[in-house]
């Protein structure tokens, strides 16, 4: 696992300064704290910061092909690299290291991008072919690992694992993209290729971009989520055991996140079997019982016999870490949920672990969210309204009170969402709730934005035949594409874990497991009485019954209390002061003041008010982080483990 970055110019006669690469390395060094390497070519420069996990001694980058020509910088892991290595050896390829990086590079040299289909893993890579002046950027199927880029007017392309690297190059200046920002307050995150920075794109999940001599000559999806997956046929248990086993491959110890819910408990159970009882598990707990799952976490840890560690995320810790989380997420947020996971990754790092397996993806693949139940209830309401209303009353128990106490307006809101055959019907309740943040925009900001405009790229990007899918299948596709990668795998996943040099691995996001889930009939995923049916059957073999049958408790964290409880940090009021709001120029100070009065008095306890507060506060912090600094960013001062300079005589010089 690493961070990667680079600058490639259309004209080889225009040099890339080494100091620019050193600044880029420093900006993403948290992703690769074990060292870094760089390469200089005529009109090009690549950098890699390394988190050593496989072939600790020799797996350094940038990696130059045996013919001393093409170069790879690569962030991620390909878990089936031993099998691919043997396949390539049988075809005459000679290897110098045991690293998966070299396997990926050799596969690209042997088959080109067509070889990507063979990879089982999570990765973002840049493959530089200097003789063609061709740069190929690739991102894994689900977008587990990030990759941003920007084009300059002279044809230069600048790329990096994080946008911080682009800004550190001094080739790209931060500017607000209001349309990207508005997507955060509509769908929880900007939707690829858009980011919250003007002129900066992110490569789509399963995306491939080929740049050559200043022009993009190819841009496409080499893989895309959808119903047309090739069914691996194997039963779910066999696939999950193999997926977990692959993701435990490493030359360093591997731990697990354990939330106490079904998904992470299944992963922990399978990992504990694979590791023969040596697994270390890590959990987040809260002092507020509304959010706490400590009892279930400890029950699973005892049942499995893991060495268990708990991090308590109290209000003070959430408020203290919030600015750092925004800096690493590089975007405003609508929830504080990423913050406890940032604290959890710090605990993992402090226990000298670099890798954890975790349960993300199961709710999307096996229809575990209440959002899927909403869709099923709307369908049921057309034929059996009485039963539909009974089921509606069981939704969202974490909101408190019965459905009757929430009122008929609440029921109408859920049942009427997406009326009129809207292709995005399943997600309009989330859109409507989140978009309430937009009520606090200044009038001039709101005038140029709309929910329809924020959703337009989603509508335009729907796959062929989408309207012919079952309502639940449409909802599943939208959940994978609009929430899983943009938010859960980004702000709540890669960014907060890699802030501490911790690599998260996701067994449910093995593409074979995804294909099996798509092929399962609806009854194996959702019924009137159960969700994640097939997964719960597997859990019944591995876990205590109280866990395998436990209703999902959505992962949430306190939102208002950390910033307004006694002892809250002073920067909160400073960031939300009228003068600060006016300076940033996005939020209307008068409207915000009404919200703040409710927050200060303890009356702001609704979901929408919590999202509004976090959206406004995080935007203020984000703006200060990325637009408030002056002067050149610092450069890396450590000696590179690898330094390759081919700008003088095209011969390679290396220090390691």
């Amino acid at each position: 696992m690493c961070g990667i970055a680079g600058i490639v110019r259309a004209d080889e006669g225009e040099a890339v300064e080494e100091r620019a690469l050193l600044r880029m390395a420093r900006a993403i060094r948290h992703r690769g704290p074990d060292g870094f390497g760089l390469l200089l070519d005529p009109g090009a420069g690549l950098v890699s910061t390394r988190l050593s996990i496989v072939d600790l001694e020799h797996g350094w980058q940038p990696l130059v092909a045996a013919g001393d020509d093409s170069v790879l910088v690569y962030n991620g892991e390909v878990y089936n690299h031993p099998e691919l290595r043997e396949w390539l050896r049988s075809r005459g390829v000679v290897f110098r290291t045991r690293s998966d990086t070299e396997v990926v590079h050799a596969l690209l040299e042997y088959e080109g991008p067509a070889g990507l289909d063979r990879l089982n893993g999570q990765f973002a890579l840049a493959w530089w072919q200097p003789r063609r002046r061709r740069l190929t950027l690739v991102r894994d199927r689900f977008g587990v690992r990030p990759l941003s880029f920007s084009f300059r007017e002279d044809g230069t392309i600048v790329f990096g694992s994080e946008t911080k690297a682009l800004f550190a190059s001094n080739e790209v200046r931060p500017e607000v993209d209001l349309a990207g920002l508005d997507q955060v307050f509509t769908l929880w995150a900007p939707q690829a290729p858009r980011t919250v920075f003007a002129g900066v794109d992110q490569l789509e999940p399963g995306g491939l971009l080929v740049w050559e001599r200043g022009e993009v000559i190819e841009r496409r999806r080499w893989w895309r989520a959808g119903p047309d997956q090739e069914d691996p046929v194997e039963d779910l248990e066999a696939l999950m055991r193999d997926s977990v086993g692959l993701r435990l491959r490493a030359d360093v110890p591997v731990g697990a996140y354990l939330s106490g819910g079904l998904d992470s408990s299944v992963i922990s159970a399978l990992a504990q079997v694979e590791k023969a009882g040596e697994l270390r598990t890590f959990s987040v707990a809260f002092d507020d019982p509304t959010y706490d799952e400590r009892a279930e976490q400890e029950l699973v840890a005892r049942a499995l016999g893991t060495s268990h560690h708990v991090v308590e995320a109290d209000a003070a810790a959430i408020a203290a870490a919030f600015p750092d989380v925004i800096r690493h997420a590089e975007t405003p947020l609508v929830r504080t949920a990423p913050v406890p996971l940032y604290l959890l990754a710090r605990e993992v790092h402090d226990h000298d672990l670099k890798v954890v397996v975790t349960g993300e993806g199961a709710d999307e693949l096996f229809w575990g969210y209440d959002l899927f139940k909403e869709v099923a209830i709307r369908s049921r309401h057309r034929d059996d309204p009485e039963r539909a209303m009974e089921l509606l009353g069981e939704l969202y128990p974490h909101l408190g009170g019965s459905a009757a106490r929430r009122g008929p307006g609440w029921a109408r809101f859920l049942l009427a969402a997406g009326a009129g055959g809207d292709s995005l019907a399943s997600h309009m309740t989330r859109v409507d709730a989140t978009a309430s943040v937009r009520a606090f925009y200044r009038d001039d900001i709101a005038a140029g934005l709309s929910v329809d405009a924020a959703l337009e790229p989603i509508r335009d990007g729907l796959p062929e035949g989408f309207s012919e899918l079952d309502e639940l299948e449409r909802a599943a596709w939208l959940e994978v594409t609009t929430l899983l990668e943009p938010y859960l795998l980004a702000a709540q996943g890669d960014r907060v874990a890699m802030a501490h040099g911790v690599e998260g691995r996701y067994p449910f996001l093995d593409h074979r497991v995804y294909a099996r889930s798509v092929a399962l009939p609806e009854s194996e995923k959702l019924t009137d009485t159960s969700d994640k049916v097939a997964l719960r059957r597997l859990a019944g073999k591995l876990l205590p019954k109280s866990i395998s049958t436990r209703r999902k408790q959505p992962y949430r964290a306190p939102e208002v209390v950390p910033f307004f409880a006694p002892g809250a940090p002073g920067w909160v009021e400073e960031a939300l002061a009228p003068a600060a709001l006016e300076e940033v120029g996005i939020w209307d100070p008068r409207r915000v003041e009404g919200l703040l009065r409710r927050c200060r008095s303890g009356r702001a306890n609704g979901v929408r008010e919590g999202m509004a507060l976090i959206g406004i506060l995080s935007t203020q912090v984000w703006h200060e982080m990325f637009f408030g600094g002056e002067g050149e960013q610092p450069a890396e001062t450590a000696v590179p483990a690898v330094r390759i300079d081919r700008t003088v005589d095209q011969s390679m010089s290396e220090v390691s």
Side-chain angles (χ1 to χ4, degrees):
M1 181 57 63
C2 307
I4 62 173
I7 304 167
V8 184
R9 307 203 187 282
D11 182 355
E12 68 177 28
E14 296 184 25
V16 170
E17 294 184 1
E18 183 170 353
R19 185 166 180 81
L21 299 179
L22 293 173
R23 290 194 303 270
M24 297 174 89
R26 176 69 175 269
I28 55 172
R29 187 64 187 275
H30 52 276
R31 299 186 68 89
D34 294 329
F36 77 101
L38 62 86
L39 173 139
L40 286 164
D41 259 352
L46 307 179
V47 67
S48 165
T49 64
R50 187 180 184 206
L51 181 65
S52 305
I53 292 174
V54 176
D55 194 357
L56 307 185
E57 183 179 357
H58 300 110
W60 291 97
Q61 303 176 37
L63 183 67
V64 179
D68 194 21
D69 183 28
S70 84
V71 183
L72 182 71
V73 286
Y74 156 77
N75 163 32
E77 307 288 349
V78 165
Y79 307 114
N80 61 334
H81 68 94
E83 292 80 6
L84 289 173
R85 180 188 304 274
E86 291 309 308
W87 182 83
L88 287 163
R89 274 182 174 153
S90 71
R91 285 153 177 79
V93 177
V94 176
F95 289 93
R96 298 168 289 166
T97 75
R98 294 187 299 104
S99 71
D100 59 327
T101 306
E102 189 178 13
V103 171
V104 173
H105 196 182
L107 185 64
L108 289 170
E109 288 274 305
Y110 187 78
E111 287 194 319
L116 295 171
D117 287 332
R118 300 185 186 275
L119 303 180
N120 186 335
Q122 53 189 41
F123 48 85
L125 62 85
W127 181 33
W128 167 232
Q129 297 168 283
R131 290 175 185 165
R132 296 183 175 185
R133 295 207 67 74
R134 174 182 289 183
L135 180 73
T136 301
L137 302 180
V138 178
R139 197 173 178 199
D140 66 68
R141 293 173 177 85
F142 290 98
V144 175
R145 298 304 161 200
L147 188 57
S148 297
F149 59 91
S150 181
F151 301 115
R152 304 293 81 210
E153 290 184 0
D154 64 357
T156 295
I157 183 171
V158 186
F159 68 89
S161 294
E162 298 181 13
T163 312
K164 287 184 281 293
L166 278 63
F167 299 150
S169 72
N170 286 351
E171 303 267 343
V172 183
R173 300 294 181 186
E175 296 180 27
V176 177
D177 184 334
L178 287 175
L181 198 67
D182 197 45
Q183 285 189 334
V184 174
F185 306 126
T186 307
L187 292 159
W188 294 26
Q191 307 292 302
R194 191 177 291 279
T195 71
V196 290
F197 298 103
V200 176
D201 282 2
Q202 55 178 322
L203 195 62
E204 299 89 340
L208 178 146
L209 181 148
V210 182
W211 173 100
E212 188 172 297
R213 300 182 185 277
E215 301 288 340
V216 175
I217 63 171
E218 184 177 9
R219 187 167 183 176
R220 61 180 173 84
R221 298 283 186 104
W222 65 272
W223 184 90
R224 187 165 187 168
D228 56 346
Q229 309 296 312
E230 183 179 346
D231 186 357
V233 180
E234 297 145 276
D235 67 33
L236 181 62
E237 180 175 351
L239 283 171
M240 287 303 305
R241 289 186 182 278
D242 189 56
S243 179
V244 170
L246 286 176
R247 281 154 182 81
L248 294 176
R249 288 178 168 178
D251 294 339
V252 296
V254 179
Y257 282 169
L258 179 59
S259 72
L262 180 74
D263 312 332
S264 64
S265 298
V266 166
I267 298 302
S268 295
L270 294 173
Q272 178 71 320
V273 170
E274 186 74 19
K275 291 180 67 65
E278 297 179 353
L279 187 68
R280 284 186 276 175
T281 51
F282 296 82
S283 296
V284 169
F286 298 93
D287 54 2
D288 185 338
T290 304
Y291 309 98
D292 193 57
E293 299 181 76
R294 189 181 334 226
E296 291 80 10
Q297 295 161 358
E298 292 176 350
L299 171 63
V300 175
R302 286 196 302 271
L304 299 181
T306 68
S307 174
H308 191 57
H309 309 272
V310 177
V311 176
E312 185 167 290
D314 60 21
I318 290 172
F322 188 76
D324 276 349
V325 169
I326 299 302
R327 180 169 65 86
H328 285 287
E330 300 185 326
T331 177
L333 302 171
V334 295
R335 302 177 74 202
T336 55
V339 184
L341 295 172
Y342 172 89
L343 301 174
L344 184 63
R346 185 170 69 189
E347 181 77 3
V348 170
H349 172 81
D350 290 346
H351 279 79
D352 296 322
L353 280 180
K354 297 179 177 182
V355 184
V356 289
V357 288
T358 180
E360 275 79 3
D363 286 309
E364 291 80 5
L365 272 59
F366 299 98
W367 304 357
Y369 291 129
D370 277 349
L371 178 144
F372 294 107
K373 300 180 182 70
E374 285 181 25
V375 174
I377 288 169
R378 286 187 207 111
S379 178
R380 173 66 71 94
H381 193 259
R382 292 191 286 267
D383 302 318
D384 189 353
E386 185 175 340
R387 177 57 176 155
M389 292 304 292
E390 290 177 6
L391 294 170
L392 190 66
E394 299 172 7
L395 283 181
Y396 301 109
H398 63 280
L399 296 179
S402 65
R405 285 181 60 190
R406 294 175 206 155
W410 183 79
R412 285 196 300 271
F413 169 67
L414 292 182
L415 291 173
D422 187 351
S423 57
L424 307 186
S426 60
H427 281 61
M428 292 311 296
T429 51
R430 179 182 295 157
V431 167
D432 289 345
T434 308
S436 62
V437 184
R438 306 171 73 255
F440 295 88
Y441 282 155
R442 288 167 43 128
D443 288 342
D444 58 329
I445 296 293
L449 302 169
S450 70
V451 171
D452 285 343
L455 295 178
E456 185 176 0
I458 307 300
R459 298 187 193 282
D460 291 345
L462 295 175
E464 185 178 349
F466 184 79
S467 62
E468 300 169 10
L469 297 177
D470 174 86
E471 291 171 290
L472 282 162
E473 292 175 330
R474 293 202 297 266
W477 187 89
L478 288 168
E479 196 70 347
V480 167
T481 54
T482 67
L483 185 73
L484 179 63
E485 178 274 326
Y487 174 73
L488 294 175
L489 295 178
Q492 234 173 255
D494 174 272
R495 299 310 185 87
V496 292
M498 290 301 290
H500 301 289
V502 173
E503 174 183 297
R505 297 181 173 183
Y506 308 100
F508 285 114
L509 297 182
D510 187 305
H511 61 283
R512 302 167 302 161
V513 176
Y514 175 73
R516 185 84 278 265
S517 77
V518 168
L520 288 174
E522 178 181 318
S523 60
E524 286 289 277
K525 289 176 275 193
L526 184 65
T527 67
D528 275 1
T529 58
S530 181
D531 56 20
K532 297 190 280 196
V533 177
L535 185 57
R536 290 186 185 277
R537 188 181 306 117
L538 171 58
K541 301 179 181 180
L542 303 168
L543 299 165
K545 185 176 181 180
S546 61
I547 299 299
S548 65
T549 60
R550 184 188 176 210
R551 185 186 181 108
K552 180 176 180 62
Q553 177 174 326
Y555 168 63
R556 299 165 58 229
E559 284 160 353
V560 176
V561 171
F563 306 104
F564 289 93
W571 63 259
V572 174
E573 292 285 358
E574 293 174 7
L576 298 173
L581 294 166
E582 288 283 5
E583 183 178 354
V584 172
I586 293 171
W587 309 108
D588 186 314
R590 293 170 301 169
R591 294 169 185 154
V592 173
E593 182 55 35
L595 173 64
L596 297 184
R597 282 196 298 270
R598 291 182 58 81
C599 291
R600 293 182 187 117
S601 67
R603 292 180 292 128
N605 48 27
V607 172
R608 294 184 181 217
E609 288 175 309
M611 286 196 294
L613 172 69
I614 299 307
I616 295 165
L617 180 60
S618 65
T619 301
Q620 293 294 106
V621 173
W622 167 79
H623 199 278
E624 174 63 25
M625 290 276 184
F626 290 95
F627 302 91
E630 295 182 0
E632 184 175 277
Q633 297 193 45
E636 182 61 69
T637 58
V639 176
V642 172
R643 181 182 181 278
I644 303 167
D645 187 348
R646 306 192 296 190
T647 61
V648 180
D649 59 4
Q650 302 293 294
S651 62
M652 183 177 72
S653 61
E654 182 169 338
V655 178
S656 60

